[in-house]
Amino acid sequence: MKIMPWKHSVARDRIQKLLDEVPEMDVQRFDQYWSRYQIDKALQTAMKQPTKPPLFSLPRDKAVVVDTVQIYISIVGYDEMRLDDGRETEASHARALKGLHLYYGAADRVIEETNAQRVDFHSGRMHAVFLETGGGGVSRETIGQAIALAEDFKRVVKLANDRLANGEFGTEFRVGIDVGTCVAINNGTGSEQEPMFLGSAANHAAKLAEGDTPGVYVSDRVRAVLGYQEVGLLEKYLELNSSQISANSAYTSDDGSVLFGVTNRQAFSDRIVDTWSADVRKGVVNDRMPPVEAV
């Protein structure tokens, strides 16, 4: 194979050509976007029109700079879920798909009760984001909401597994959380105009969620906001302990308001699964999942 020598002029021209092809973007700060969004949402509600979550359906030439808490929740041992005695079978794939159905349903039902937005699902991993609307960087309260979401999700999965899947899925989860400023752009196609968040926080949270050990793993940026000692390269190995999780997932803000208006997290999870079970009984959803028979 012939190797072409590198030339500065050629590289410069190619880079300039790419720059010329990039469309001009209208970049806004989130506080500018947020005030307009709230007005539009109020008008749509008054006119009984459907509303969309913040940052959905952005124009293609618009970007919004926003402070975020990025959270990923991954199934530990997802690859093993798709195997029977070390090999893939029709039954093992059916079981994995049913497990994902339970997981996805639990995630969406919990997120609907919070201030979070689900970004996407990717196999055994869910990505969600909390937007910091107060200005001045990410707050401890918003991080507390992310930790609470992870804990609520795990409780809901356990309850739904017992009531809807006959206890078939004894799944554990690994959570990665980071905070930081991201640029939101439209990443959607067709009727699904969801945002994409570009920035190191989303990438780092995803890496923290990778691994075979369950737990809640947070970045040093998160630890700094919470007032904990930073751990450097040990971020992926030192999860938050139970007392740290409890203290922050039950966080009460300075004005005395309780997270999502909830004081009893177990009752909160029970209510979600009770509603889910009622939807199954009424035929609103078809989520009852008998065990998969081995073949």
Side-chain angles (χ1 to χ4, degrees), residues 30 55 64-71 127-133 137-139 142-143 177-184 197-202 222:
F30 185 72
L55 301 176
V64 179
V65 179
V66 56
D67 291 324
T68 66
V69 179
Q70 303 281 342
I71 175 171
H127 177 202
V129 61
F130 284 85
L131 309 178
E132 184 59 71
T133 61
V138 173
S139 67
T142 306
I143 293 173
I177 303 176
D178 195 10
V179 301
T181 302
C182 290
V183 177
F197 295 89
L198 306 176
S200 63
V222 172

Side-chain angles (χ1 to χ4, degrees), residues 44-119:
Q44 290 166 346
T45 301
M47 298 173 65
K48 297 183 179 180
Q49 295 178 347
T51 61
K52 295 183 178 180
L55 301 176
F56 275 65
S57 298
L58 288 173
R60 293 291 177 177
D61 62 348
K62 177 172 288 188
V64 179
V65 179
V66 56
D67 291 324
T68 66
V69 179
Q70 303 281 342
I71 175 171
Y72 285 80
I73 303 178
S74 297
I75 297 174
V76 173
Y78 171 66
D79 289 338
E80 284 70 27
M81 284 180 61
R82 296 180 292 170
L83 301 177
D84 276 330
D85 295 328
R87 65 189 184 91
E88 297 183 33
T89 66
E90 182 179 343
S92 68
H93 275 272
R95 182 175 61 250
L97 288 173
K98 288 187 175 184
L100 287 180
H101 184 74
L102 186 78
Y103 168 53
Y104 290 177
D108 277 345
R109 285 176 180 267
V110 172
I111 288 172
E112 286 173 1
E113 300 274 351
T114 74
N115 297 326
Q117 295 178 202
R118 174 170 61 79
V119 179

Side-chain angles (χ1 to χ4, degrees), residues 78-282:
Y78 171 66
D79 289 338
E80 284 70 27
M81 284 180 61
R82 296 180 292 170
L83 301 177
D84 276 330
D85 295 328
R87 65 189 184 91
E88 297 183 33
T89 66
E90 182 179 343
S92 68
H93 275 272
R95 182 175 61 250
L97 288 173
K98 288 187 175 184
L100 287 180
H101 184 74
L102 186 78
Y103 168 53
Y104 290 177
D108 277 345
R109 285 176 180 267
V110 172
I111 288 172
E112 286 173 1
E113 300 274 351
T114 74
N115 297 326
Q117 295 178 202
R118 174 170 61 79
V119 179
D120 59 31
F121 290 115
H122 181 72
S123 296
R125 187 182 74 185
M126 187 272 293
H127 177 202
V129 61
F130 284 85
L131 309 178
E132 184 59 71
T133 61
V138 173
S139 67
R140 180 185 170 193
E141 181 177 4
T142 306
I143 293 173
Q145 292 180 19
I147 296 173
L149 183 149
E151 294 302 293
D152 290 336
F153 165 77
K154 288 187 282 186
R155 279 189 293 268
V156 167
V157 168
K158 185 178 186 305
L159 289 170
N161 179 44
D162 293 340
R163 299 184 194 179
L164 299 174
N166 299 312
E168 185 175 2
F169 303 104
T171 309
E172 293 185 298
F173 299 94
R174 182 180 174 105
V175 181
I177 303 176
D178 195 10
V179 301
T181 302
C182 290
V183 177
I185 59 173
N186 190 324
N187 188 47
T189 58
S191 62
E192 298 181 356
Q193 298 291 306
E194 72 273 8
M196 173 188 286
F197 295 89
L198 306 176
S200 63
N203 296 333
H204 193 55
K207 291 177 180 178
L208 291 173
E210 294 175 354
D212 298 328
T213 306
V216 178
Y217 295 80
V218 301
S219 70
D220 273 347
R221 288 183 285 200
V222 172
R223 289 178 181 273
V225 176
L226 298 180
Y228 298 141
Q229 182 177 355
E230 298 178 14
V231 297
L233 296 178
L234 297 178
E235 286 177 337
K236 287 198 65 172
Y237 306 99
L238 294 178
E239 73 271 29
L240 293 182
N241 60 44
S242 58
S243 62
Q244 291 170 329
I245 291 173
S246 177
N248 289 286
S249 64
Y251 181 76
T252 302
S253 62
D254 293 337
D255 64 4
S257 61
V258 181
L259 188 61
F260 314 135
V262 176
T263 55
N264 187 327
R265 310 306 303 178
Q266 183 62 49
F268 174 75
S269 302
D270 282 329
R271 175 173 61 78
I272 290 175
V273 179
D274 285 345
T275 301
W276 192 350
S277 298
D279 287 343
V280 172
R281 290 194 303 272
K282 296 173 184 176

